[in-house]
């Protein structure tokens, strides 16, 4: 089953790579990018679109970092509390056996 998962992943990556190449080949028009305060030099449309996609992905990951860290801290606290509760339960169980005649 593991090899099947690897083969499916390889096929998906190959399809994405081929679509990326096809996208770059079909969008070779050189256009300048005007960002209101600065005009960037002419480059292919595919390059500008892929750069904007990469910037958006990085900004999205950066925005999610705070939420991820908060959830990770809550998980750590919950695990610590769970461990304390287990120790307390084990202590109470052993205490019950010691008190029984």
């Amino acid at each position: 089953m593991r090899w099947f998962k690897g083969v499916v992943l390889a096929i998906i990556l190959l399809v994405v790579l081929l679509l990326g190449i096809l996208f770059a080949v079909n969008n070779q028009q050189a256009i300048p990018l005007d960002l209101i305060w600065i005009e960037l030099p002419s480059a292919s449309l595919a390059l500008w679109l892929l750069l904007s996609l990469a910037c958006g992905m990085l900004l999205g990951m950066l925005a999610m970092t705070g939420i991820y860290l908060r959830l990770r801290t809550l998980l750590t606290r919950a695990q610590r509390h769970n461990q304390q509760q287990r120790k307390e339960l084990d202590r109470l169980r052993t205490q019950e056996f010691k008190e029984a005649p």
Side-chain angles (χ1 to χ4, degrees), residues 1 7 21 24 59 63 93:
M1 191 62 170
V7 169
I21 292 171
L59 288 173
R93 283 181 180 161

Side-chain angles (χ1 to χ4, degrees), residues 42-61:
S42 295
S44 72
L45 179 61
L47 177 66
W48 290 128
L49 290 174
L50 291 175
L51 284 175
S52 67
L53 174 67
C55 288
M57 289 171 53
L58 288 174
L59 288 173
M61 288 191 304

Side-chain angles (χ1 to χ4, degrees), residues 31-42:
I31 56 168
L33 188 60
D34 188 7
L35 298 176
I36 300 174
W37 62 88
I38 188 171
E39 186 171 329
L40 298 174
S42 295

Side-chain angles (χ1 to χ4, degrees), residues 64-83:
M64 291 302 295
T65 301
I67 295 170
Y68 172 77
L69 292 176
R70 183 176 53 106
L71 290 174
R72 189 76 179 160
T73 325
L74 288 173
L75 177 63
T76 305
R77 284 183 193 161
Q79 287 174 339
R80 193 176 306 127
H81 182 68
N82 189 11
Q83 187 66 24

